[in-house]
């Protein structure tokens, strides 16, 4: 189905010269698996080198090109240990050591014969009073070669890769890139003065070029907007079932509180959609503690009243269990049958739940993605609720709705307050309901910023807090999938050990690398009050509800984004007691870091914090490596998203509504091409599936 013209770009990366089995691994670490990925591995920055006559004219730390004459090669004393050194001197007799580690010494031997002069490009450093260049970027016989590289792209690397290597792959990939049909709206292209796709890529690898970068970012936004529009359109054409409740179950509900106006309004919007024959696609946005669960429950009861079943999908086992418990509590008076199904259910237990879903004796099932596996069949699935849906990509969201004979209604929920621009960018296929009013009686959380060196006082305060009968969270950062992941884990474990020394069995540790059983057991002990202090990494970020926990300590708070801090803080302030959040900061705090923490002190409005977060991060910070980007863009930076998203949305709309969408050979074909190129082909799939 992929347009043929793209085939050369989707061939495996080892079709490039120089990519052997050894390099595949480090390349995969950078998500470089196909030729296409190499094209989009855009430089992080560019270095500009200065050609100097001799080293007197250069300063330490500078990127230079200089002529050096080789005097002597020195192998390490113990072979295999220590660097390989080449002693050289410049025209003035200044000595400069060229230092090589590992296998790079082979190249050095070849490139730098004793007594000869070469042009060497690299960063001038000082080591033990000696000038040195570690792993010169280039060594050339004629100056022209080296000079020609004076502005050079710097790529993100992984162990085992070098700049010249990546550079050579990029060069080969560019040579294979075909001219593609233009998908950009002609008026937009003209107004912005953007180069063609192929040219934009070449330019973006060559030097700083805003127009080229913007075009490539726009492509991604456009493909995304287009795919979302197509999903929306095909959803409208799908066969769903109109579900209308008769109040027989909801009438029996005995909620311990009146609903807020925002909850009433959202429920009305949702049940209104569910009564339609075309399937609902709605996002319920509500800050932590806004009361999304009860809204979901009402919707699920409507489905059951209408003779259908409902499924609630949670991102983790832990959250699934909590949901089960709160739904059972809230709905006890109605007599609906609610079951749990997760990946850990095996054998008999699993069989009996599968039976219940098939024969309809289970009305509502709560679980992890296990509830959508092939072998799980429903009698009549009418509503799918997805909690914390930002954890699931659009294509996953779509898969979930393929379960019923007719397409079920979908209610996605998120506690991440998403700025308006990004809602459209990421959830453009959905209608939105906002819970913009918290249940009454919530107290403001007293938030304070303290330096980490007050640790002793803080631990003492935690002690007093616990003695008074309340509980506390102690959060340590853990950035997953990075170099520092192990260090982070070690830090969390060390903190746990220290607190345990002081507080004994009152302390429990929970982190993402624990076996699920241990994690659940730890959480359960804390939730039941058996443990008083929960030391945790960000696994507690979403959903956890322990009203008696009224103190939260967050270490190295500056390492978290505003939205994340807000989510974490939302774990406290859930009961009647006054709550406190202590943000411990390290000593080296950037301006942005400082501003972030200040904002946390002054605001408790998730939507406001999200907008500010976007603004603070906006300046040039790249959005996302594929593994982390909440916002789901790999090419466009946050700043580009905010600047270009409206145009991309409008152009996509124009194409779909006035120009025949993906049909035909002109822009239709171009549009299909960009969907596949930027891997938004789920937009195409839904069209076919529908
Ligand atoms: P979230 O939106 O974060 O999922 P929950 O649904 O877990 O929020 O609700 C948070 C807490 O607020 C729960 O203890 C819930 O029982 C309570 N709650 C929900 N709605 C109301 C309301 N209208 N009035 C008072 N308390 C409410
Ligand atoms: Mg929730």
């Amino acid at each position: 189905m992929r347009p043929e013209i793209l085939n050369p770009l989707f061939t495996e990366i080892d079709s490039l010269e120089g990519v052997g089995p050894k390099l595949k691994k480090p390349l995969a670490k950078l998500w470089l698996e196909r030729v296409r990925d190499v094209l989009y591995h855009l430089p992080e920055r560019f270095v500009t080198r200065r050609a100097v006559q001799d080293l007197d004219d250069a300063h330490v730390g500078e990127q230079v090109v200089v002529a050096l004459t080789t005097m002597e090669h020195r192998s390490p004393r113990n072979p295999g240990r220590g660097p390989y050194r080449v002693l050289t001197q410049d025209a003035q007799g200044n000595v400069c050591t060229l230092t090589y580690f590992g296998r790079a010494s082979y190249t050095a031997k070849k490139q730098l014969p004793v007594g000869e002069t070469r042009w060497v490009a690299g960063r001038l450093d000082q080591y033990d009073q000696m000038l040195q260049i570690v792993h010169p970027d280039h060594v050339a016989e004629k100056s022209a070669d080296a000079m020609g590289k004076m502005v050079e792209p710097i790529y993100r690397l992984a162990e085992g890769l070098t700049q010249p290597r990546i550079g050579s792959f990029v060069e080969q990939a560019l040579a294979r890139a075909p001219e593609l049909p233009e998908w950009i709206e002609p008026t937009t292209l003209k107004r912005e003065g953007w180069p063609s796709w192929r040219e934009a890529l070449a330019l973006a690898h060559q030097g700083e070029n805003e127009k080229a970068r913007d075009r490539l970012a726009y492509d991604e936004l456009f493909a995304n907007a287009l795919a979302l529009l197509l999903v929306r359109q095909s959803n409208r054409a799908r066969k769903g079932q109109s579900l209308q409740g008769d109040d027989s179950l909801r009438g029996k509900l005995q909620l311990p509180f009146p609903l807020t106006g925002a909850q009433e309004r959202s429920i009305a919007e949702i049940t209104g959609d569910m009564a339609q024959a075309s399937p609902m696609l709605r996002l319920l946005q509500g800050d932590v503690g806004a009361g999304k669960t009860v809204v979901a429950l009402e919707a699920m009861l409507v489905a059951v009243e209408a003779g259908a079943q409902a499924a609630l999908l949670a991102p983790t086992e832990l959250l699934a269990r909590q949901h089960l418990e709160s739904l059972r509590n809230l709905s006890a008076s109605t007599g609906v049958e609610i079951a749990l199904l997760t990946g850990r259910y095996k054998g008999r237990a699993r069989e009996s739940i599968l039976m219940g879903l098939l024969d309809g004796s289970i009305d509502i099932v709560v679980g992890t993605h296990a509830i959508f596996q092939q072998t799980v069949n429903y009698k009549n699935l009418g509503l799918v609720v997805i909690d914390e849906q930002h954890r699931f990509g659009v294509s996953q969201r779509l898969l979930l709705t393929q379960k019923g004979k007719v397409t079920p209604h979908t209610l996605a929920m998120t506690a991440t307050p998403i700025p308006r621009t990004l809602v459209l960018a990421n959830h453009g296929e959905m209608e939105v309901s906002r819970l913009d009013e918290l249940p009454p009686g919530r107290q403001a959380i007293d938030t304070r910023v303290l330096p980490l060196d007050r640790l002793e006082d803080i631990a003492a305060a935690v002690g007093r807090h616990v003695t008074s009968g309340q509980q506390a969270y102690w959060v340590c950062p853990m950035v997953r999938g990075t170099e520092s992941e192990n260090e982070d884990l070690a830090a969390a474990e060390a903190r746990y050990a220290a607190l345990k020394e002081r507080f004994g069995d009152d302390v429990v540790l929970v982190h993402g690398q624990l076996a699920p059983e241990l994690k659940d057991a730890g959480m359960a002990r804390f939730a039941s009050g058996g443990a008083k202090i929960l030391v945790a990494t960000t696994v507690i970020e979403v959903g956890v509800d322990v009203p008696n926990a009224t103190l939260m300590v967050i270490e190295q708070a500056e390492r978290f984004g505003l939205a994340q801090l807000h989510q974490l803080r939302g774990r406290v302030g859930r009961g009647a007691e006054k709550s406190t959040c202590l943000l411990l900061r390290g000593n080296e705090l950037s301006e942005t870091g400082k501003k972030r923490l200040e904002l946390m002190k002054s605001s408790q409005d998730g939507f406001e914090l999200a907008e500010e977060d976007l603004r603070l991060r906006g300046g040039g910070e790249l959005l996302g490596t594929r593994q982390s980007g909440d916002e789901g863009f790999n090419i466009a930076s946050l700043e580009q998203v905010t600047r270009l998203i409206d145009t991309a949305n409008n152009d996509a709309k124009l194409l779909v509504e006035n120009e025949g969408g993906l049909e035909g050979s002109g822009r239709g074909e171009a549009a299909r091409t960009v969907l596949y190129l930027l891997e938004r082909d789920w937009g195409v799939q839904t069209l076919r599936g529908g």
Side-chain angles (χ1 to χ4, degrees):
M1 280 305 279
R2 183 197 303 136
E4 255 172 47
I5 193 167
L6 293 178
N7 286 349
L9 301 180
F10 280 83
T11 47
E12 294 288 310
I13 194 168
D14 51 12
S15 67
L16 296 177
E17 201 169 312
V19 182
K22 261 203 218 104
L23 280 190
K24 273 189 92 166
K25 215 165 153 198
L27 287 168
K29 260 199 174 156
L30 298 170
W31 302 99
L32 303 179
E33 289 166 346
R34 299 151 308 176
V35 173
R36 170 210 172 279
D37 307 332
V38 179
L39 283 180
Y40 278 110
H41 192 60
L42 300 177
E44 284 191 318
R45 60 198 165 80
F46 291 86
V47 286
T48 311
R49 299 185 207 291
R50 197 162 64 91
V52 293
Q53 286 298 319
D54 54 68
L55 294 171
D56 290 336
D57 186 27
H59 52 82
V60 170
E62 198 179 4
Q63 297 279 357
V64 294
V65 181
V66 64
L68 296 171
T69 308
T70 302
M71 304 189 298
E72 186 188 338
H73 282 243
R74 278 194 195 159
S75 303
R77 273 192 212 103
N78 305 322
R81 309 190 59 195
Y84 185 89
R85 293 198 165 88
V86 182
L87 301 190
T88 66
Q89 61 182 12
D90 68 5
Q92 292 297 323
N94 294 307
V95 175
C96 179
T97 311
L98 307 181
T99 307
Y100 295 85
F101 294 91
R103 302 171 55 86
S105 60
Y106 296 117
T107 339
K109 282 180 195 151
K110 266 193 279 166
Q111 287 180 328
L112 296 155
V114 174
E116 303 218 355
T117 303
R118 294 285 181 273
W119 286 84
V120 177
R123 203 181 97 119
L124 187 64
D125 284 325
Q126 199 164 18
Y127 179 76
D128 259 359
Q129 306 296 316
M130 287 276 284
L131 292 174
Q132 74 163 351
I133 295 175
V134 180
H135 284 252
D137 296 328
H138 300 283
V139 174
E141 277 183 52
K142 283 200 221 83
S143 70
D145 287 0
M147 309 286 263
K149 302 263 181 178
M150 288 214 332
V151 175
E152 197 171 17
I154 301 295
Y155 295 99
R156 205 149 57 84
L157 296 179
E159 172 86 38
L161 290 166
T162 60
Q163 295 296 345
R165 275 244 152 109
I166 296 262
S168 125
F169 302 152
V170 168
E171 206 170 300
Q172 295 177 58
L174 281 171
R176 292 199 199 173
E179 288 286 354
L180 296 180
E182 184 57 79
W183 47 79
I184 300 183
E185 173 68 26
T187 52
T188 301
L189 197 65
K190 192 149 172 249
R191 186 184 65 238
E192 303 288 347
W194 284 335
S196 74
W197 173 78
R198 190 163 179 270
E199 205 188 334
L201 273 174
L203 289 171
H205 282 284
Q206 247 165 47
E208 266 157 51
N209 188 316
E210 203 188 337
K211 283 195 189 303
R213 284 281 189 142
D214 276 357
R215 185 216 150 109
L216 298 174
Y218 170 93
D219 288 347
E220 185 177 36
L221 297 172
F222 176 70
N224 191 69
L226 184 59
L228 290 174
L229 261 179
L230 294 171
V231 170
R232 203 184 175 113
Q233 203 184 35
S234 79
N235 192 66
R236 247 182 248 137
R238 264 166 208 265
K239 192 161 152 317
Q241 57 179 327
S242 156
L243 298 176
Q244 264 165 305
D246 57 6
D247 248 7
S248 57
L249 294 171
R250 281 173 300 157
K252 289 190 207 146
L253 264 184
Q254 291 166 2
L255 296 177
F257 44 72
L259 294 174
T260 64
Q263 283 170 324
E264 300 267 19
R265 181 164 35 76
S266 299
I267 292 169
E269 286 164 357
I270 293 162
T271 53
D273 282 1
M274 288 171 65
Q276 307 300 314
S278 67
M280 164 171 79
L281 269 183
R282 187 171 280 276
L283 178 68
L284 177 64
Q285 258 199 306
D287 215 337
V288 253
K292 292 184 291 297
T293 314
V294 68
V295 174
L297 175 63
E298 297 252 2
M300 294 195 287
L301 290 179
V302 168
V304 179
E305 285 171 10
Q309 293 161 298
L312 190 154
L313 174 74
T316 66
E317 174 100 22
L318 190 77
L319 286 174
R321 285 175 189 280
Q322 284 210 344
H323 272 306
L324 177 76
E325 195 165 320
S326 41
L327 290 174
R328 276 190 178 153
N329 285 339
L330 288 169
S331 69
S333 54
T334 64
V336 289
E337 188 58 36
I338 310 181
L340 180 71
L341 179 62
T342 71
R344 262 191 272 156
Y345 279 65
K346 303 258 147 58
R348 283 266 176 82
R350 184 180 149 84
E351 284 304 311
S352 101
I353 292 166
L354 294 191
M355 282 303 288
L357 291 174
L358 193 59
D359 68 19
S361 55
I362 294 173
D363 301 307
I364 295 173
V365 63
V366 179
T368 53
H369 56 271
I371 58 181
F372 292 101
Q373 275 161 6
Q374 285 282 319
T375 47
V376 182
N377 290 300
Y378 295 80
K379 183 174 183 215
N380 179 15
L381 182 61
L383 171 68
V384 174
V385 180
I386 308 175
D387 193 23
E388 298 306 337
Q389 64 83 43
H390 63 279
R391 299 278 189 102
F392 307 94
V394 185
S395 49
Q396 269 175 304
R397 285 188 327 244
L398 293 173
L399 269 183
L400 302 183
T401 56
Q402 320 272 314
K403 266 288 160 188
K405 291 175 200 75
V406 291
T407 306
H409 297 286
T410 303
L411 175 64
M413 309 200 289
T414 181
T416 312
I418 309 166
R420 284 190 190 278
T421 40
L422 294 184
V423 172
L424 204 57
N426 295 297
H427 311 285
E429 88 276 26
M430 295 191 263
E431 308 291 333
V432 177
S433 293
R434 271 191 167 199
L435 286 182
D436 48 11
E437 175 190 356
L438 289 183
R442 290 286 155 80
Q443 299 198 21
I445 299 166
D446 182 12
T447 303
R448 284 180 243 166
V449 180
L450 299 169
L452 186 60
D453 44 29
R454 299 247 330 254
L455 202 57
E456 181 49 38
D457 297 348
I458 294 157
V462 171
R464 286 192 299 277
H465 186 79
V466 170
T467 312
S468 81
Q470 297 174 54
Q471 292 163 278
Y473 294 103
W474 191 300
V475 180
C476 303
M478 166 123 134
V479 182
R480 242 168 260 164
T482 64
E483 305 281 309
S484 63
E485 178 174 347
N486 292 333
E487 264 170 55
D488 285 348
L489 187 59
E493 275 168 346
R495 181 65 67 223
Y496 167 67
L499 290 170
K500 199 168 163 71
E501 190 119 304
R502 188 169 185 143
F503 299 110
D505 280 345
D506 278 349
V507 194
V508 62
L509 173 69
V510 170
H511 59 74
Q513 292 187 6
L514 279 183
E517 296 81 19
L518 293 178
K519 204 161 61 183
D520 285 2
M523 277 311 304
R525 204 153 84 73
F526 183 70
S528 68
K532 308 289 182 211
I533 303 168
L534 177 73
V535 180
T537 57
T538 43
V539 288
I540 57 160
E541 193 185 337
V542 283
V544 175
D545 190 14
V546 182
N548 190 46
T550 49
L551 173 63
M552 170 162 287
V553 179
I554 305 179
E555 276 193 51
Q556 298 185 49
E558 70 275 8
R559 284 181 60 191
F560 295 94
L562 265 182
Q564 210 180 6
L565 283 174
H566 177 68
Q567 294 268 309
L568 283 168
R569 182 172 61 182
R571 300 300 112 221
V572 296
R574 304 201 134 211
E577 297 291 334
K578 181 160 179 40
S579 288
T580 308
C581 177
L582 304 179
L583 303 173
L584 310 191
R585 59 166 176 78
N587 291 325
E588 297 155 36
L589 206 54
S590 68
E591 271 311 302
T592 315
K594 222 178 269 172
K595 278 207 195 106
R596 274 204 198 129
L597 298 186
E598 280 305 311
L599 274 164
M600 284 302 294
K601 273 200 323 197
S602 62
S603 173
Q604 216 163 300
D605 178 333
F607 288 108
E608 183 187 333
L609 288 171
E611 297 286 349
E612 283 300 320
D613 200 22
L614 184 64
R615 211 174 51 79
L616 285 178
R617 285 195 293 154
E621 187 173 321
L622 281 185
L623 250 199
T625 49
R626 226 190 282 185
Q627 57 272 41
S628 73
D630 280 356
E631 293 88 351
F633 295 106
N634 300 315
I635 303 162
S637 74
L638 200 46
E639 185 276 325
Q640 286 172 316
V641 174
T642 37
R643 185 156 47 83
L644 300 171
I645 190 83
D646 284 343
T647 316
N649 281 325
N650 290 337
D651 290 355
K653 218 164 150 187
L654 205 64
L655 180 75
V656 169
E657 287 173 5
N658 300 350
E659 296 176 30
L662 303 187
E663 297 301 314
S665 57
R667 284 198 59 220
E669 185 189 350
R672 288 200 298 279
T673 310
V674 74
L675 285 178
Y676 278 95
L677 177 67
L678 294 170
E679 314 206 276
R680 260 64 175 186
D681 39 307
W682 38 262
V684 186
Q685 317 293 351
T686 50
L687 275 192
R688 281 194 291 136

